[in-house]
Amino acid sequence: MSASPPTPASRYVVVESPEPLRVQGLTKSFGSLVALDHLDLELAPGRIHALIGPNGSGKTTALKALVGELVPDSGTVRVNGTELSGSPRAR
């Protein structure tokens, strides 16, 4: 008999005292265009945050770098003290 696949809820880990998501010096360029220039953020858990700015200011690039769709040129993203790094997430 084979094991059943994990349920979506079984893939999550409960963190009793989550730390803020911390972003330091996040930079991303596309050729000579600097889309993000040393972005620093600290996002507290359980709070609602907004990223605002005019068209072309790097909002989408920042979000894509935070979720792993883009690899930043420099800077760090930390969740609960663990640095997220490496290649973009698998699709």
Side-chain angles (χ1 to χ4, degrees), residues 12-69:
Y12 298 102
V13 175
V14 176
V15 178
E16 295 297 325
S17 299
E19 296 178 19
L21 179 135
R22 290 187 171 95
V23 178
Q24 294 181 310
L26 206 62
T27 301
K28 179 65 181 174
S29 296
F30 300 98
S32 64
L33 172 69
V34 179
L36 288 178
D37 192 10
H38 295 90
L39 174 68
D40 293 329
L41 292 173
E42 184 170 296
L43 306 177
R47 304 288 307 263
I48 297 172
H49 301 275
L51 187 57
I52 60 172
N55 291 346
S57 63
K59 299 177 300 291
T60 300
T61 302
L63 292 174
K64 286 182 175 185
L66 289 175
V67 301
E69 194 169 319

